[in-house]
Structure formats: C-alpha cells, structure tokens
C-alpha cells in the first residue's frame, strides 16, 4: 500500500485552516455574530397551512417582510401541516400583510393564523455561560481520558483538533451571517464528541504501530497510520454526512441543528487526519530535540 505523505504537507494545511479562521474573524469584527431569535428575542408567527406546501414559495413571501428568519413545520393531531415563522426583524405591523399574502396564495381563512406574539430571548446569558462551561469541562475530561489511554501529547493534539473544528464552524456562520440559535449549542457539543472519536481511531493505530515499528521515526509512523485508517475515516464520515444531509433536506424542523453538525463532522474528519496527527508529530519531535 502506498503511504500518503500527509505530515510533509501539514504546513500548507495549517495555512488553509488559518486562512478560514482569519476570514471568519474579519467578518466577526465587521459584522459580528448573527444571533437568532433564541438569543435576541423577536416575533413568532404560527400559521395552519392545512396541507403540504412549497417551502420556497412561502419563504419568497416572507423575504418581502423579514431579512432574517427561520421556518419550521409540524403536523397537528388532525394531520394538518402548520408553519412556524421566527424572525428578529419582523415588525408586528407587518404580520397581517404577510399572512394575507400567504392566505391568498394557499386559500386559507383568517382563523388559520393560529398565533402571533413577541417573545423574549430563550437563551440567556446564564445558559450561554453554562454551555461554555460544559464545553470546557468536556474538553478537560477528554484530555484526561486520552492522556491516560495514550499519552499527554495525544490529548493536547486531540483538543487542538476539536478547537479547530469549532472555530471553523463559527467562522462559516460569521462569514455567511447564518443565525445562531439554541440548536447551535447542542450541535457544537455533538461535534466535539464526534471529532474526538475520529481522532482516537488514528491515535490508536499510531500506538499499535509504535510497538511494531520501533525504528520508524514519528513522521513516517504517523503517515503509515493515517494511510491505514484513512479509508475507514472517509467512509464513516461520508455515511454520516449522507444521513445528516438527508435529514437537513427532508426534515426542515431540525435544519438549525443539522447544518452546523454537517460542517463540524466534515471538519472533524479533516482535523483528525490533517491537524491532530501533524500536531502530535510536532510535539513528539520537540520532545526528542529537547532530550
């Protein structure tokens, strides 16, 4: 089997990731983060559509009145389809014209406007702090676990890979000004767990090969281990992404969770191969030079 020279190209790969993060930081400084209704509060409108409808046609109508919104659908006990619209910028005075456009297109009745209300932020400062605390504690726990199972250098490399995945995901949201809601927090914590799982597969192979190939240097050892596990990593990631993309397309109500999850899982596979392993080699070689 031909061995891929991944470690030798690590500097180029680091630059690519750094470029995305710097671009995200620039957009963050310029425009900030687009917090959704869960963070900032806003307007909630619920409409009984009765039957299936063309989502794109409805969103074209909503766009006339609000430039930032999210939509969800649900089915009630009568098997009727209900539409939920959340927006930060939708004014109360625009709700009736918005509903009238949708009502005329789909021949609805006045009573099909189920509710309209202004809601406060569901995700307060306290919840954001707790989410950050959960993320930090999870990373500390994973660092301890990897350090005990492997060695401390593996743990540091794994945590840096997770931080990389989170920063890339946040950068994408900052660049494209995608609204961040409570589901984003859940997705970030899920990404951390997936990323460490993918990284451990490669690290486990490195540990096995260390015992078999005692005379091979750390760079070659990492290249061999990555080559041996790459097909598994790619296949696992692709099957997972196919599932998540399918959920994103066919289950609109969980799109806010599925979208960041898809980005994070793709980044997780990338970082496990192109970030975590090269960082481990750098730490390993640094120790050898110091010795």
């Amino acid at each position: 089997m031909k061995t891929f020279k991944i470690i030798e190209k690590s500097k180029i790969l680091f630059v690519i990731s750094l470029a995305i993060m710097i671009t995200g930081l620039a957009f963050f400084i310029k425009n900030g983060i687009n917090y959704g209704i869960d963070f900032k509060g806003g307007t909630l409108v619920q409409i009984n559509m009765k039957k299936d409808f063309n989502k794109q046609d409805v969103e074209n109508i909503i766009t006339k009145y609000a430039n930032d919104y999210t939509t969800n659908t649900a089915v009630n006990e009568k098997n009727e389809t209900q539409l939920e619209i959340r927006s930060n910028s939708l004014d109360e005075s625009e709700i009736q014209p918005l509903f009238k456009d949708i009502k005329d297109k789909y021949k609805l009745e006045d009573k099909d406007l189920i509710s309209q209300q202004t809601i406060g932020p569901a995700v307060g400062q306290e919840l954001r702090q707790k989410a950050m605390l959960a993320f930090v504690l999870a990373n500390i726990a994973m660092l301890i676990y990897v350090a005990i199972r492997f060695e401390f250098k593996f743990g540091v490399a794994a945590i840096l890979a997770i931080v990389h995945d989170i920063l890339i995901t946040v950068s994408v949201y900052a660049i494209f000004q995608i609204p961040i809601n409570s589901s984003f927090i859940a997705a970030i914590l899920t990404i951390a767990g997936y990323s460490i799982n993918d990284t451990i597969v490669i690290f486990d192979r490195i540990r096995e090969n260390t015992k078999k190939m005692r005379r091979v240097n750390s760079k070659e050892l990492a290249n061999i281990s990555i080559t041996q596990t790459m097909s598994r990593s790619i296949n696992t990631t692709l099957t997972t992404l196919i599932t998540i993309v399918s959920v994103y397309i066919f289950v609109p109500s969980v799109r806010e969770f599925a979208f960041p999850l898809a980005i994070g899982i793709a980044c997780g596979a990338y970082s496990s191969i192109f970030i975590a392993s090269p960082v481990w080699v750098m730490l390993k070689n640094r120790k050898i030079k110091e010795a």
Side-chain angles (χ1 to χ4, degrees):
M1 179 186 294
K2 181 182 178 181
T3 301
F4 297 112
K5 302 297 182 181
I6 301 295
I7 306 303
E8 286 79 356
K9 299 177 182 178
S10 59
K11 290 183 179 180
I12 298 175
L13 301 170
F14 287 165
V15 168
I16 293 173
S17 294
L18 191 60
I20 297 174
M21 293 178 198
I22 291 174
T23 303
L25 178 61
F27 275 86
F28 171 77
I29 294 172
K30 180 182 178 183
N31 303 320
I33 292 291
N34 183 13
Y35 288 110
I37 192 170
D38 289 344
F39 284 90
K40 295 169 61 177
T43 302
L44 171 64
V45 179
Q46 293 178 310
I47 301 172
N48 185 12
M49 303 298 291
K50 297 182 179 178
K51 57 184 179 180
D52 289 337
F53 58 93
N54 187 303
K55 188 172 184 293
Q56 186 60 54
D57 288 344
V58 170
E59 291 187 346
N60 288 339
I61 295 173
I62 298 172
T63 304
K64 298 177 185 178
Y65 301 94
N67 54 20
D68 63 330
Y69 63 87
T70 59
T71 58
N72 291 317
T73 57
V75 178
N76 63 16
E77 63 277 1
K78 297 180 181 179
N79 205 32
E80 296 174 326
T81 301
Q82 295 183 342
L83 171 68
E84 180 181 273
I85 304 169
R86 292 171 176 258
S87 174
N88 299 122
S89 61
L90 182 63
D91 191 82
E92 285 189 48
S93 62
E94 297 175 319
I95 295 176
Q96 286 299 328
L98 167 64
F99 174 65
K100 185 178 184 303
D101 287 352
I102 296 176
K103 182 180 73 172
D104 292 344
K105 184 173 182 61
Y106 291 97
K107 297 180 175 56
L108 304 179
E109 302 175 19
D110 289 340
K111 65 179 182 180
D112 291 321
L113 178 58
I114 301 172
S115 70
Q116 58 181 78
Q117 56 182 313
T118 301
I119 60 176
V123 183
Q125 183 67 25
E126 182 181 359
L127 184 54
R128 275 180 273 180
Q129 290 175 351
K130 288 182 177 179
M132 181 61 70
L133 178 62
F135 177 73
V136 172
L137 291 177
N139 276 274
I140 293 173
M142 287 186 284
L143 176 61
I144 295 171
Y145 168 75
V146 176
I148 293 173
R149 181 176 174 182
F150 300 95
E151 59 182 25
F152 187 73
K153 290 185 289 296
F154 281 116
V156 172
I159 297 305
L160 287 176
I162 293 174
V163 173
H164 165 275
D165 300 339
I166 303 305
L167 290 177
I168 292 293
T169 304
V170 172
S171 294
V172 171
Y173 270 68
I175 292 169
F176 296 101
Q177 284 294 288
I178 303 169
I180 291 180
N181 287 306
S182 55
S183 54
F184 179 82
I185 296 175
I188 288 297
L189 295 174
T190 305
I191 290 166
Y194 186 92
S195 180
I196 193 71
N197 179 69
D198 213 23
T199 301
I200 283 176
V201 171
I202 298 175
F203 284 175
D204 195 47
R205 184 57 59 91
I206 291 176
R207 184 178 62 174
E208 290 178 5
N209 288 335
T210 301
K211 299 175 183 177
K212 300 176 184 177
M213 309 173 184
R214 297 184 180 277
R215 296 184 179 181
V216 176
N217 61 47
S218 57
K219 182 184 293 186
E220 190 62 26
L221 186 66
N223 283 331
I224 293 171
S225 301
I226 291 170
T227 302
Q228 291 173 345
T229 57
M230 184 174 289
S231 60
R232 178 196 180 282
S233 297
I234 293 175
N235 290 337
T236 302
T237 301
L238 285 177
T239 52
T240 306
L241 282 177
I242 288 171
T243 303
I244 294 173
V245 171
S246 298
V247 168
Y248 178 85
I249 295 172
F250 298 109
V251 189
S253 60
V254 295
R255 283 180 177 173
E256 291 184 1
F257 176 73
F259 182 73
L261 195 59
I263 297 174
I265 286 175
C267 288
Y270 171 87
S271 66
S272 297
I273 297 171
F274 302 116
I275 303 296
S277 300
V279 168
W280 173 79
V281 172
M282 291 169 58
L283 294 173
K284 193 77 172 177
N285 289 341
R286 182 180 177 182
K287 182 179 179 180
I288 292 172
K289 288 179 180 179
E290 290 177 351

